[in-house]
Amino acid sequence: MAFENLILEKEDYLAILYINRPKALNALNAETLYEMEEAIKDIKADSNIKVVIVTGVGDKSFVAGADITFMLPLSPHEGRFFSDVGERVMRQFELMEKPVIAAINGFALGGGCELAMACDIRLAAENAVFAQPEVGLGVIPGFGGTQRLPRLVGEGRAKELTYTADVINAQEAYRIGLVNHVYPADQLMDEAKKMAKKIANKAPLAVGYAKFAIGKGMQVDIDTAMSIESDMFGMCCATEDKFEGMGAFVEKRKPTFKGK
Ligand code: HXC
C-alpha cells in the first residue's frame, strides 16, 4: 500500500508501520491519522500478519506529537473532531487482535507518547524521551493520554507529568513503568523483531484472546473481568491450536500452530 506519510512494510508474519514525516519529526497531522486508519485496516485483514511494530522514520524521533502547525488554526469544533479522529486511531491499535509493539526511537512527545501508550508493549531506545507537553501549548492531551497515562503509571505520576509537561528520559520511563525495556538505539529494531518472533511462534488465537481479556478486563469490575477471562479460555478450547499445543506437550515435541 502506498502512503504519503507512512511506510507499511511486511516481512512474513510481521508488519512494520513507520510514521514517515521526518521533516516534522514525524508529527501527526490529520492526513497521517487517516492513512494510519487505512494501514490498520490492511493489517487487520491480512491473515499472514501476526504481530505489528510501530516506529518512526529516522534515528531522532518516534513521533514529536500532533502537528502543531496543523492544530494552531483549529476551531473548537475542528479541535474536538481532530482529537476524536486521533482517539479512534489509537483505539484501533488496542482493539485489533494482533499485538502491537511500539519501537520508540527518539521523541515520544504529546500525541507520540499517546501513540506509544496505545500499543500493547513499549520498547524504547536509550535516546528516547517522553512528555505530555500539551499544557505548555494551552491544550491537554487529546489522543487518549489523560486516560492511558494514569492507567499505566498511576494517577499521581500521570498528573505530575501532565501538569508540569516535564520531559523524562528512557530510564525514567522504564522506572515508572511507561516502557517495558530500554535498548541501545542500534539494537532497538532487532529487539522489537525478536519479541515479535517470540509472539508469532505462539498460538495466534490464544494471543488475540489474551489481548481481548486483558483489554476488556481492565475496563470492568473484577467479577465481570473474570468471566471475560473464562469465556476466552473456553474459546481457546474450541481451537485446533489448543489440541496442538497441549498434544505437543504430552508427546514431548514442539507445537506447530496454525492460527485455527
Ligand atoms: C509540527 C513539528 C513538531 C510538531 C517538531 N516539528 N515537532 N512540527 N508539530 N509537534 C518540526 C519543527 O517545527 C521543525 O520544522 C522540525 O520539526 C524540526 O524540529 P526542531 O524544533 O527544529 O528540532 P529540535 O530543535 O531538535 O527540537 C525537537 C523537539 C521540538 C524538542 C521535538 O521540535 C519540539 O518541542 N516539538 C514540539 C513537541 C510538542 O510539543 N509536541 C506535542 C504537541 S501537542 P522546521 O520547518 O522549522 O524545520 C500534541 C497533542 C496531541 O501532541 C492531541 C491532539 C488532539
Side-chain angles (χ1 to χ4, degrees):
M1 244 180 161
F3 297 106
E4 278 281 305
N5 304 311
L6 302 176
I7 300 168
L8 177 56
E9 277 179 9
K10 294 182 182 175
E11 299 171 11
D12 199 4
Y13 53 80
L14 176 64
I16 307 180
L17 183 64
Y18 294 88
I19 311 300
N20 183 29
R21 296 188 71 218
K23 282 188 185 145
L25 299 180
N26 303 326
L28 302 174
N29 57 9
E31 287 74 32
T32 310
L33 292 173
Y34 291 132
E35 288 192 350
M36 288 166 81
E37 281 197 298
E38 291 309 308
I40 291 167
K41 263 189 226 157
D42 178 294
I43 291 166
K44 279 164 78 174
D46 187 337
S47 57
N48 292 322
I49 298 301
K50 298 198 170 56
V51 187
V52 185
I53 295 174
V54 178
T55 192
V57 161
D59 54 9
K60 198 175 167 189
S61 187
F62 175 67
V63 167
D67 191 305
I68 298 169
T69 319
F70 173 83
M71 289 186 291
L72 177 62
L74 297 185
S75 69
H77 173 75
E78 291 164 337
R80 188 166 196 278
F81 184 75
F82 182 59
S83 168
D84 215 41
V85 172
E87 285 172 354
R88 192 174 70 218
V89 174
M90 304 305 145
R91 190 87 179 108
Q92 288 303 312
F93 288 112
E94 282 180 330
L95 292 173
M96 78 160 83
E97 67 195 41
K98 307 174 195 211
V100 185
I101 299 169
I104 306 156
N105 57 319
F107 295 117
L109 305 176
C113 188
E114 294 176 292
L115 170 60
M117 289 191 288
C119 297
D120 295 293
I121 294 165
R122 281 156 293 285
L123 309 181
E126 275 168 353
N127 67 315
V129 291
F130 301 78
Q132 293 297 156
E134 287 88 348
V135 294
L137 297 162
V139 291
I140 66 169
F143 292 165
T146 61
Q147 304 310 309
R148 290 195 182 94
L149 191 58
R151 282 168 171 79
L152 272 171
V153 305
E155 193 179 328
R157 286 195 177 110
K159 285 179 171 171
E160 181 180 338
L161 285 169
T162 306
Y163 302 167
T164 62
D166 277 350
V167 178
I168 58 169
N169 64 22
Q171 280 307 331
E172 177 65 0
Y174 175 73
R175 193 185 71 80
I176 66 174
L178 184 54
V179 301
N180 298 51
H181 300 280
V182 180
Y183 299 110
D186 61 355
Q187 291 168 27
L188 177 67
M189 272 317 270
D190 283 349
E191 293 293 341
K193 287 181 184 178
K194 252 191 243 171
M195 184 178 281
K197 187 172 185 184
K198 207 188 267 187
I199 296 169
N201 281 332
K202 302 292 182 284
L205 291 173
V207 170
Y209 295 153
K211 177 167 174 171
F212 184 89
I214 294 170
K216 289 284 177 223
M218 291 295 288
Q219 298 177 52
V220 297
D221 65 275
I222 190 80
D223 289 325
T224 311
M226 291 301 174
S227 70
I228 293 168
E229 182 184 78
S230 49
D231 285 352
M232 289 303 109
F233 189 89
M235 293 279 284
C236 292
C237 293
T239 65
E240 287 179 26
D241 282 347
K242 177 250 190 182
F243 291 96
E244 171 62 13
M246 295 197 177
F249 175 80
V250 171
E251 292 160 21
K252 300 191 187 304
R253 61 175 173 83
K254 279 209 155 113
T256 308
F257 293 116
K258 292 193 189 129
K260 290 184 184 167

